[in-house]
Amino acid sequence: MDLHTIQIIHYVALAVMMVVYAIRILWFLSFPAGRERQPPTGTGSVNSKAGIIYSWLNVASPKGMESYRTHWFLYLQFVVFHLGVVAAITMSFVIADFSILMNNAAVVLTFRVLIWGACAVGVMRIIRRFTDKYVRAISSPDDYFSVILLTVWFGVAAAAAPFGVPSLQAEGSTLLIIYFAVQTFFLLYVPFSKISHYLYYPFTRYYLGKSLGRRGVFPLKHTAGQPTTAGADR
Amino acid sequence: MSEHTGRSHKAQMVLERYQKKLSRQVVGSLVACVHCGNCTDSCHYVLANPGDPTYAPAYKADRIRKLFKKHFDWTGKVFPWWVKAGDVMTDEDLEELKDTVFGKCTNCRRCTFNCPMGVDLATFNRMARCLLVSVGIMPEGVAVVSKDQWEIGNQMGVLKEDYLDTLDWMSEEVSEELDDPAAVIPVDKMDAEIVYTINPREVKYDPRTIADALKIFHAAGENWTMPSEGWDMTNFGLFSGDDDLGGVVARRVYDKVIDLRGKKLVISECGHGYRSTRCEGPNWAKFDIPFEMESSVDTMLRYIREGRIKVDKTKNPDKVTFHDSCNNARSCGLTEPPRELLELVCMDFQEMYPNREDNYCCTGGGGAMSMSEYTPRRLKSAKIKADQLKATGAKTVVTSCHNCVDGLADCIRHYKLGMGVTQLVTLVANALVWDEMPAAPGKPEIPEGVPAEMEPEVALDPDPEEASASEEPPLAGKRIVVADDDPDQVIYLKSVLSDAGAEIIEAADGDETLEACRKELPDMLTLDLEMPGTPTKDVFARLRDELPELRICIVTGRPELRALIYDQDLRRPEGYLDKPITEESLLRNVRKVLETS
Ligand code: SF4
Ligand code: SF4
């Protein structure tokens, strides 16, 4: 199989993924959304809308969550891992359709740094999933497979990145084909696995933010300067 | 057993009802978990049970989630083993689920706030409780309390006459104390600005909080009332997950406010009551509320800000700390008003860490106080709370929740912290400045500028050393049979009651109790519900028959056994106390029982 063919297959896989996602969203929306009848507690900036926005952005504000405040390294891993996902996906489209951009060494370097970083985090996550008693207890075969799949994908993508440059594509065609093949499998697998969590993220956090915003819980007071943990005000 | 599925009837019913409970909010939380484990150490059960992953929020959530995956989610339907989808087949499976959803989670929502995906375990844990309750699988205490709330209209089975009697009693005490005949509780007054609703625990164990509220409303010159019905703002539907019960109970309160043409419903300090009545009730009852609602914390703060009451913080000089109720902080956003109020009425307020929405549960939340089978587990998990409390160095912990008062008192007793628990209403009432008001009877006049000692929660009665030597102990001349098979409990009851002047006769089982009552003809009997010998329900029935004048107060650590007594077609006991009992509530209740003829 040549690079061009796998790129076309990769686009087909992408289309299949989008269709399955659309079905998935329709399925999700087929469940009734309970109507909120409680009178709003908040005034001014404290309302459902502020709550929803806060809820959506919550993940970008580690100080809003004790689990990240106290485990900042996990938060760092989270950021690096997700930046790596964005980079590895974007790179496939750049190589397929805008490969001229890969002539810019800074672009290639950025992809390589982000994706190798994510790959390293992937290895850490695999180790954690196998060795941490608590994480192991909640892990399913899908959880193990997903993190391994992503880590392999990162590794292949990072290794293939230098060959994304148009003049080097022939030389690195095997690596590039493997990269596109793994990504094709990834795109087809995602809708059926926990990797599709990002599809639900806007909805889960929307409903949580809507309810808690209306009650004046979100935005959290301590993110506005009220200390909740010892030492924070000393 | 269903012939087609091989499932027990109850398991089949649970699955059929599961589908009906799936809202978008619940489904979102069921599908979004990535098993990252971030929420693990946000749970007090995990922290108190190191090394046991079965307490991890995501692990507990997966006991409920596996059913969703197996029956409603496509990957789980096709490849169940791949995503750990699972089923419930037998009643034993449901019992196991019960152990998790009732016994290992207080629905405190702390993990929700620590989940980057916004997975709200507490919400679908409540849903799972509802499914189990719908097929009759629940802790006995949950069944008893739900029944009381369905049938009697409040969750502690307080009869209307007892409630009204308590309001009268408090009115008498306060009007006497203030020497003001107008300082009474107006009942069912039409067109009042405020309709005040309370927790039945206040009637049963802590009527002083009603008296305190009366003083504050009176001092503020408020046009207020308490309803004769629909006065219980608590709602066991929140804990049992039963939206129908939740809706009916909330509606009783709303309808009464409408009947009275009240302008605003004020909810006394109770976390789950405030959440149920203020936030969830309109959804459960599918009813749009035509009047305003607020917590009494907001009301008291408003009175001070508006200058309607004056307070002197030197009257509360001791160091206090504040415990945020989970329902108030994480579900209702009520975190700042109590702090503002504390700063206004206390000299020394010390923040507890973590606090606000990061605070740990008192461990009595989610109805845990009524599930005695899980008490050892609850008290073990209370270690986290105990450490938090201890670190503050405060003498008293203040909380705006009756449930937390009990949860914290249990924790303090178990871990021997020597702290008191009180509520804002008591501190505000204590700090009131009564211009030109004569000193209350029985209390020393406080010279201006001299700080009076803060009244601790556990010492309602005048300090014996301060009381005048000529004053007779409150139970002098009373003869009480203390019936309990736990020697420690007998020693405790005996020491408190005999210190108050009563003569105590001990009985350690059902037969001794009957004999002691027949022979000694006491004024009163405190009756434990679980003793060897003649069963307690028979002891109660025989004594009702043979000694109709005898006043009986049930004392039990197993509220679910109440039905043994209350389901009999006999005059109800004059009093009821849940173990553990504070000295204050014991004395108050015994005095009340002895006053009732
Ligand atoms: S809701 Fe509270 S008790 Fe339940 S799992 Fe989450 S943190 Fe633990
Ligand atoms: S933090 Fe959220 S996504 Fe992660 S395991 Fe806990 S519930 Fe699941």
Side-chain angles (χ1 to χ4, degrees):
Chain A
M1 191 184 301
D2 64 13
L3 186 56
H4 183 66
T5 312
I6 190 68
Q7 282 175 350
I8 291 172
I9 295 174
H10 156 257
Y11 274 118
V12 173
L14 183 68
V16 171
M17 186 192 82
M18 300 303 255
V19 170
V20 181
Y21 272 178
I23 296 170
R24 201 75 175 143
I25 288 177
L26 288 176
W27 168 78
F28 178 77
L29 294 177
S30 70
F31 293 98
R35 186 184 147 198
E36 185 66 277
R37 289 172 194 265
Q38 55 147 340
T41 311
T43 50
S45 64
V46 182
N47 52 46
S48 282
K49 207 167 143 196
I52 293 164
I53 292 169
Y54 175 83
S55 183
W56 275 335
L57 299 179
N58 192 218
V59 79
S61 161
K63 69 174 183 171
M65 248 185 279
E66 183 199 70
S67 54
Y68 280 143
R69 279 201 305 274
T70 50
H71 300 290
W72 61 268
F73 190 58
L74 283 182
Y75 183 73
L76 195 67
Q77 287 184 18
F78 159 81
V79 173
V80 172
F81 195 78
H82 286 84
L83 285 176
V85 172
V86 174
I89 294 257
T90 311
M91 192 175 79
S92 68
F93 297 115
V94 170
I95 292 174
D97 294 314
F98 307 97
S99 59
I100 193 159
L101 291 175
M102 296 298 276
N103 284 330
N104 184 331
V107 171
V108 176
L109 184 68
T110 308
F111 280 137
R112 292 187 72 191
V113 168
L114 290 177
I115 299 170
W116 275 125
C119 185
V121 169
V123 172
M124 288 179 218
R125 285 185 162 199
I126 292 170
I127 293 169
R128 181 164 178 256
R129 198 158 285 282
F130 277 99
T131 58
D132 184 307
K133 198 174 184 176
Y134 292 96
V135 178
R136 217 169 48 222
I138 54 175
S139 296
S140 64
D142 175 44
D143 294 313
Y144 290 107
F145 183 73
S146 296
V147 71
I148 292 170
L149 173 65
L150 277 157
T151 307
V152 168
W153 175 55
F154 287 140
V156 174
F163 302 103
V165 178
S167 58
L168 297 176
Q169 282 189 2
E171 188 189 327
S173 67
T174 311
L175 257 181
L176 287 170
I177 288 170
I178 295 173
Y179 165 47
F180 277 96
V182 173
Q183 182 155 315
T184 300
F185 177 76
F186 170 75
L187 293 174
L188 292 173
Y189 179 69
V190 164
F192 303 95
S193 87
K194 69 110 173 252
I195 306 173
S196 58
H197 63 279
Y198 59 86
L199 193 66
Y200 305 112
Y201 177 88
F203 295 103
T204 352
R205 294 224 64 105
Y206 169 85
Y207 286 113
L208 191 68
K210 187 175 171 203
S211 166
L212 296 184
R214 197 170 174 88
R215 297 177 187 194
V217 182
F218 277 0
L220 291 176
K221 313 284 182 305
H222 70 255
T223 47
Q226 301 284 10
T228 63
T229 38
D233 59 341
R234 292 176 199 155
Chain B
M1 173 96 63
S2 159
E3 281 182 17
H4 305 299
T5 61
R7 261 186 221 106
S8 73
H9 178 67
K10 287 182 177 177
Q12 185 62 29
M13 295 302 286
V14 162
L15 286 178
E16 283 167 17
R17 289 171 187 170
Y18 201 126
Q19 166 120 46
K20 295 192 187 115
K21 299 298 289 181
L22 291 174
S23 67
R24 224 175 273 169
Q25 288 86 334
V26 167
V27 172
S29 284
L30 287 168
V31 291
C33 178
V34 288
H35 290 152
C36 65
N38 268 16
C39 53
T40 303
D41 51 13
S42 58
C43 178
H44 56 281
Y45 283 105
V46 174
L47 299 178
N49 294 279
D52 185 348
T54 65
Y55 285 100
Y59 185 89
K60 293 180 276 192
D62 279 356
R63 304 309 96 202
I64 306 162
R65 186 177 282 122
K66 68 175 187 178
L67 299 175
F68 176 81
K69 287 187 172 170
K70 169 90 183 163
H71 296 280
F72 308 105
D73 198 18
W74 52 19
T75 319
K77 277 184 186 172
V78 184
F79 304 111
W81 56 276
W82 188 247
V83 290
K84 277 195 175 172
D87 214 337
V88 277
M89 299 302 291
T90 63
D91 290 358
E92 287 70 45
D93 291 343
L94 297 179
E95 286 290 338
E96 241 176 68
L97 186 59
K98 178 190 97 173
D99 188 68
T100 299
V101 303
F102 285 102
K104 289 184 170 178
C105 175
T106 56
N107 280 358
C108 77
R109 248 183 167 179
R110 199 169 190 275
C111 52
T112 304
F113 282 65
N114 282 290
C115 170
M117 292 298 297
V119 169
D120 193 3
L121 163 60
T123 296
F124 63 87
N125 195 63
R126 181 175 175 273
M127 176 198 76
R129 286 182 175 198
C130 170
L131 297 173
L132 292 174
V133 166
S134 76
V135 295
I137 293 189
M138 66 193 113
E140 233 176 317
V142 172
V144 171
V145 181
S146 300
K147 184 171 176 280
D148 277 352
Q149 206 155 24
W150 272 116
E151 292 174 4
I152 303 176
N154 65 80
Q155 60 162 289
M156 287 192 177
V158 176
L159 298 176
K160 185 176 176 181
E161 46 274 34
D162 290 340
Y163 163 71
L164 293 174
D165 187 38
T166 305
L167 299 193
D168 277 350
W169 175 33
M170 289 302 108
S171 291
E172 267 170 42
E173 291 221 340
V174 174
S175 61
E176 208 176 289
E177 183 184 332
L178 303 182
D179 196 16
D180 181 352
V184 291
I185 300 169
V187 176
D188 282 347
K189 186 176 170 191
M190 298 297 292
D191 299 308
E193 285 300 317
I194 280 175
V195 177
Y196 185 58
T197 51
I198 57 170
N199 182 318
R201 181 185 173 279
E202 299 182 65
V203 181
K204 221 155 181 170
Y205 311 127
D206 206 3
R208 187 181 50 149
T209 52
I210 305 173
D212 289 336
L214 160 56
K215 288 179 194 169
I216 294 164
F217 286 129
H218 181 66
E222 186 60 87
N223 172 14
W224 71 297
T225 189
M226 288 181 76
S228 60
E229 274 160 4
W231 52 269
D232 175 10
M233 51 66 179
T234 67
N235 197 322
F236 216 71
L238 182 71
F239 299 151
S240 68
D242 184 346
D243 288 355
D244 292 337
L245 173 63
V248 166
V249 171
R251 197 61 205 256
R252 275 183 201 142
V253 175
Y254 304 149
D255 285 349
K256 191 65 191 176
V257 179
I258 293 167
D259 281 354
L260 294 173
R261 295 197 299 264
K263 309 269 185 316
K264 184 185 277 184
L265 171 63
V266 171
I267 300 154
S268 81
E269 287 176 88
C270 175
H272 100 266
Y274 180 62
R275 177 175 171 191
S276 301
T277 308
R278 170 74 176 75
C279 302
E280 315 288 0
N283 297 331
W284 295 331
K286 298 187 172 47
F287 183 65
D288 295 307
I289 309 297
F291 48 81
E292 276 182 67
M293 293 189 273
E294 75 180 9
S295 160
S296 60
V297 176
D298 289 313
T299 316
M300 292 186 283
L301 186 59
R302 190 159 44 78
Y303 287 163
I304 298 177
R305 281 185 186 150
E306 290 171 0
R308 289 175 68 177
I309 58 174
K310 283 189 196 149
V311 285
D312 174 5
K313 59 157 77 176
T314 63
K315 291 184 176 184
N316 293 321
D318 287 348
K319 185 192 254 193
V320 299
T321 188
F322 184 70
H323 163 83
D324 290 277
S325 122
C326 303
N327 283 312
N328 280 342
R330 281 189 280 271
S331 289
C332 302
L334 192 66
T335 55
E336 303 318 302
R339 287 176 167 77
E340 285 177 48
L341 206 44
L342 278 171
E343 295 289 358
L344 290 166
V345 300
C346 292
M347 292 284 286
D348 189 0
F349 164 49
Q350 164 67 49
E351 201 58 270
M352 185 188 323
Y353 294 101
N355 55 56
R356 297 179 172 85
E357 57 283 332
D358 285 334
N359 189 28
Y360 288 104
C361 178
C362 69
T363 66
M369 296 305 287
S370 65
M371 306 173 201
S372 52
E373 56 269 61
Y374 304 126
T375 302
R377 207 184 273 173
R378 172 170 64 79
L379 287 172
K380 189 176 179 197
S381 73
K383 171 81 171 60
I384 310 307
K385 191 82 245 169
D387 290 346
Q388 256 189 302
L389 289 168
K390 206 169 166 186
T392 65
K395 280 188 177 177
T396 303
V397 53
V398 185
T399 185
S400 280
C401 175
H402 279 279
N403 207 44
C404 296
V405 168
D406 287 338
L408 292 169
D410 237 11
C411 166
I412 288 166
R413 201 170 304 119
H414 187 75
Y415 289 97
K416 299 185 174 52
L417 301 179
M419 293 172 80
V421 190
T422 194
Q423 296 197 270
L424 278 160
V425 70
T426 301
L427 294 176
V428 173
N430 193 52
L432 283 173
V433 175
W434 298 90
D435 290 334
E436 299 147 24
M437 197 198 76
K443 287 195 175 176
E445 192 155 355
I446 303 160
E448 223 173 282
V450 177
E453 278 304 301
M454 191 178 78
E455 195 179 3
E457 164 85 7
V458 289
L460 228 203
D461 298 296
D463 186 328
E465 284 172 24
E466 281 178 25
S468 85
S470 62
E471 214 174 271
E472 214 175 38
L475 300 180
K478 301 293 180 194
R479 303 176 74 240
I480 301 174
V481 170
V482 170
D484 204 308
D485 63 336
D486 174 356
D488 289 344
Q489 189 67 24
V490 173
I491 291 171
Y492 174 66
L493 295 176
K494 192 176 165 184
S495 67
V496 174
L497 296 175
S498 53
D499 281 356
E503 182 190 331
I504 304 301
I505 303 122
E506 296 176 31
D509 62 34
D511 302 304
E512 281 185 24
T513 307
L514 282 170
E515 199 188 320
C517 291
R518 284 171 184 149
K519 199 168 139 208
E520 305 287 343
L521 300 176
D523 298 286
M524 181 185 161
L525 162 69
T526 69
L527 183 60
D528 179 26
L529 287 185
E530 247 190 332
M531 289 192 296
T534 305
T536 313
K537 70 176 179 33
D538 297 336
V539 171
F540 180 75
R542 282 190 216 169
L543 290 175
R544 274 292 185 242
D545 181 41
E546 294 171 29
L547 302 171
E549 297 295 305
L550 178 66
R551 277 154 254 175
I552 302 177
C553 179
I554 302 297
V555 176
T556 183
R558 305 227 6 227
E560 67 275 16
L561 296 181
R562 273 191 301 179
L564 293 175
I565 301 293
Y566 285 83
D567 284 357
Q568 297 189 69
D569 192 14
L570 292 167
R571 196 176 87 235
R572 286 172 168 247
E574 281 71 23
Y576 175 88
L577 279 167
D578 267 328
K579 290 176 189 171
I581 316 160
T582 63
E583 191 177 329
E584 172 212 350
S585 74
L586 175 63
L587 283 176
R588 188 187 314 113
N589 278 277
V590 166
R591 282 159 70 175
K592 176 139 192 270
V593 167
L594 287 169
E595 277 166 20
T596 336
S597 51

